[in-house]
Amino acid sequence: MAGDWIKMRSDLLTHPKVVRISSALKVDRLRTIGALFAAWCLFDAHSEDGTLPGYTDSVLNEMVGLKGFASAMRDVGWLQFNDDGLSMPEFEEHNGKSAKIRAEDAKRKRKDRTNVREIPDKKQTDSGPEKRREEKKVNTPPPPDGVDETVWQDFLKLRKAKKAPVTDTAIDGIRREADKAGMTLADALAMCCKRGWQGFEADWVKDKPGPNLFAGSI
């Protein structure tokens, strides 16, 4: 089924929070990632709002087969415990139904843009206005997963004004610096737009920690 999946970052193996969990539990990072995958799947399958009523640290530890795992997740901001049970911060942004709808919509848009490139309109001339509009649409990259369309468009305008192309390398660099600052890519791009930065460095906000980052975003 379309909803039977979760989002995981491609660079999760080297994520600082994964390293911290592995160090705390004295296990290798692949073992940590396997336990994280199991925990995120548990929340995805049995929670509508990111909370698992009645669940405790010991229950989660037993389910993933790793003692102290729940406490280690909580220490890096990827798990919370309250009177209702265990909860996942920013669940709806990354793994809830709305997040999956956004991801599927982004995937559909990428497919539509690919089709535009692959099926040229023979009725259009190389210099005609319709041709120019098509080229403009094709050359506009879609927003990365988890990034609001409005923020993305503002960032594209900012980079264009500074004559700095938006490349995969540039976005990957901002994503890495956002990770160092404990922020999501979306938060980093929003800050760039607000402050007129064409790029982002973790040192620029090192005294202003961002929100907890949920690794289920790729």
Side-chain angles (χ1 to χ4, degrees), residues 138-159:
V138 171
N139 293 330
T140 301
D145 290 344
V147 177
D148 181 80
E149 181 70 28
T150 300
V151 171
W152 181 242
Q153 291 301 323
D154 288 344
F155 183 70
L156 292 180
K157 292 177 182 178
L158 173 64
R159 295 280 294 195

Side-chain angles (χ1 to χ4, degrees), residues 19-100:
V19 174
R20 287 172 56 188
I21 293 175
S22 298
S23 299
L25 300 180
K26 294 181 173 56
V27 297
D28 64 74
R29 281 174 284 168
L30 288 177
R31 178 69 181 88
T32 297
I33 290 175
L36 287 169
F37 177 76
W40 292 332
C41 285
L42 173 68
F43 275 85
D44 188 71
H46 300 293
S47 176
E48 293 292 332
D49 58 0
T51 298
L52 291 174
Y55 276 72
T56 63
D57 283 10
S58 59
V59 172
L60 182 59
N61 292 342
E62 188 276 331
M63 293 190 70
V64 303
L66 197 55
K67 185 177 180 180
F69 176 71
S71 178
M73 279 193 71
R74 190 160 50 250
D75 288 343
V76 300
W78 282 348
L79 189 70
Q80 293 178 349
F81 178 77
N82 50 46
D83 293 339
D84 296 326
L86 296 180
S87 62
M88 190 74 69
E90 300 184 29
F91 172 82
E92 194 59 33
E93 178 180 349
H94 298 282
N95 252 51
K97 290 182 178 179
S98 61
K100 292 185 178 183

